[in-house]
Amino acid sequence: MKAKTSAWLLAALSLALAGCQQLDPQAIHLAKQGSFTVGGRYVTHPGTFSPDHFISPQGQRAYGDFAYVSYQTPVNAKPYPLIFQHGGAQSKRTWESTVDGRDGFNTLFLKQGYSVYLLDQPRSGEANLSTQAVTPDTPWAANPMYGDKTLYLLSRIGHYNAQGEAVANAQFPSGEAHYQAFQQSWTIGSGPLDNDLNADVLAQLVEQTGGAVLVTHSMGGTIGWRTALRSDNVKAIIAYEPGGTPFIFPDSEMPAVTQARFAALSATALGVPMAEFLKLTRMPIVLYYGDYIKVGSEHVGEDKWGTELEMAKQFVAAINRHGGDATLVHLPDIGISGNSHFLMGEKNNRQLVALAAAWLKEKGLDR
């Protein structure tokens, strides 16, 4: 794997370290922008509708299970757009801006000449209509959502001091205002989590574009893998800390599972027929992981993501073993330190965009 990736990594790191110069603010000239929905379905309540009882559900439809998409296309856009898939309990806001008001990944990639498509997956964010009611196993369905410390620790953003005050790690903007902005980014689930539904809808969006690069985060990672099984038009996948939902493996080559101290947080795998798995070998894939990751750590987030990183190593090895082109980049190994699980919103996010842009260029996807 090192032999395969060393050339682009050296070039990419050089560009990333000069990220501020390479990605200076510039005017954005748009050819078009807008929003639309993708997918969706409806269910009909039994009975006959009557105008005399117009608020009754009888004979009426409930619509839902679609994705909401906003997009921007720059003048002279590169051929393949980037489609951004958010993670669990998040929405397209993940990519829009940092907690301290700087450009998010969508704007930074737009300035690089890529069209950007941001979606809220079915039953989330601005696509929160569902054809199924919330069930006891629906994640993040509670409102109020009492979980600020849980989510902060699991995301490796930082820790809490003896006074219970949040202390951010190196790359995450510190201070109460930024802590609050981060906590206000969560969204509740409006129906059961269904990642096959999410992949079906994302694949429809990919088909509409005629070919696209998927950019995923966290629990969105499995949606990206599954989308590539459904569409031949996925040209590449950039996955930021995939995990929390299953990695895909051939069902005849299931991986070993590294157990987290809290077993329920351990990485997981899903087996598929070999013919399906081989679809993941048809496009280049890169996975990025940040800092503060260690199996067995007393910090629950570090330990949890340690198990995901170990699973990611096996995932990459399986793809390459079958002739694919997958790369795993643990940022501290190439001299980029201090990043949390939400690395796209941290102080060095421009540097990280430069790194991914160099990878896209090396793979011939920028022209």
Side-chain angles (χ1 to χ4, degrees):
M1 182 167 61
K2 290 185 178 179
K4 180 185 293 185
T5 61
S6 58
W8 83 261
L9 266 178
L10 287 173
L13 184 57
S14 175
L15 177 60
L17 291 175
C20 291
Q21 288 74 32
Q22 297 294 330
L23 295 173
D24 281 341
Q26 61 196 51
I28 299 173
H29 299 281
L30 294 179
K32 57 182 179 178
Q33 65 178 4
S35 62
F36 55 92
T37 60
V38 180
R41 54 197 179 195
Y42 64 82
V43 292
T44 303
H45 195 283
T48 302
F49 176 75
S50 169
D52 294 331
H53 304 283
F54 60 89
I55 63 172
S56 170
Q58 272 70 32
Q60 299 208 61
R61 293 174 178 175
Y63 285 80
D65 304 345
F66 55 86
Y68 173 83
V69 182
S70 63
Y71 72 94
Q72 292 178 297
T73 300
V75 173
N76 299 319
K78 297 181 187 298
Y80 297 120
L82 307 183
I83 299 177
F84 290 83
Q85 166 66 54
H86 61 80
Q90 286 281 299
S91 68
K92 61 187 178 63
R93 286 179 57 189
T94 296
W95 312 103
E96 291 178 335
S97 182
T98 65
V99 296
D100 53 350
R102 291 173 294 108
D103 286 345
F105 267 25
N106 66 313
T107 302
L108 294 175
F109 277 109
L110 189 65
K111 289 179 177 179
Q112 291 285 292
Y114 290 95
S115 297
V116 295
Y117 288 72
L118 278 64
L119 83 156
D120 286 342
Q121 72 186 33
R123 304 172 183 170
S124 297
E126 293 185 73
N128 64 0
L129 291 177
S130 174
T131 63
Q132 295 186 36
V134 170
T135 57
D137 62 342
T138 301
W140 318 292
N143 218 356
M145 184 188 293
Y146 292 106
D148 68 314
K149 291 180 171 60
T150 298
L151 296 167
Y152 194 76
L153 295 174
L154 286 178
S155 299
R156 311 191 320 278
I157 303 295
H159 61 278
Y160 294 88
N161 62 22
Q163 290 73 46
E165 299 165 331
V167 179
N169 283 328
Q171 292 289 358
F172 197 85
S174 61
E176 177 60 27
H178 301 145
Y179 179 85
Q180 180 172 322
F182 172 69
Q183 297 298 346
Q184 290 176 345
S185 72
W186 302 103
T187 183
I188 64 170
S190 61
L193 177 64
D194 185 341
N195 282 322
D196 285 319
L197 166 66
N198 295 335
D200 288 341
V201 173
L202 182 53
Q204 290 182 53
L205 176 58
V206 171
E207 291 300 303
Q208 286 185 28
T209 68
V213 175
L214 301 184
V215 184
T216 69
H217 177 233
S218 191
M219 291 183 70
T222 200
I223 302 173
W225 317 139
R226 298 178 199 209
T227 299
L229 305 185
R230 290 162 163 79
S231 172
D232 293 335
N233 278 319
V234 176
K235 301 302 181 182
I237 301 177
I238 301 173
Y240 290 97
E241 296 213 349
T245 45
F247 286 82
I248 303 296
F249 286 85
D251 51 18
S252 58
E253 300 178 13
M254 294 301 286
V257 174
T258 301
Q259 289 291 324
R261 291 173 58 242
F262 294 93
L265 296 179
S266 304
T268 59
L270 173 69
V272 299
M274 180 64 79
E276 288 292 290
F277 177 80
L278 289 178
K279 295 177 181 179
L280 292 172
T281 68
R282 299 184 305 198
M283 76 289 295
I285 297 173
V286 63
L287 291 71
Y288 294 103
Y289 284 86
D291 211 338
Y292 313 109
I293 295 175
K294 180 183 177 182
V295 173
S297 171
E298 64 180 13
H299 298 289
V300 63
E302 295 180 8
D303 179 46
K304 183 263 190 303
W305 288 101
T307 75
E308 301 288 2
L309 180 58
E310 292 305 308
M311 185 66 76
K313 292 175 182 177
Q314 296 181 80
F315 173 71
V316 166
I319 290 175
N320 291 337
R321 185 166 63 247
H322 291 285
D325 179 6
T327 303
L328 174 62
V329 180
H330 188 200
L331 294 174
D333 291 345
I334 60 170
I336 299 177
S337 61
N339 285 109
S340 76
H341 183 54
F342 280 85
L343 64 181
M344 73 287 293
E346 296 187 301
K347 298 173 185 176
N348 63 339
N349 69 337
R350 295 169 71 194
Q351 183 185 34
L352 301 180
V353 165
L355 185 65
W359 181 82
L360 289 166
K361 181 178 179 64
E362 193 270 339
K363 299 303 176 184
L365 293 165
D366 69 331
R367 59 183 183 276

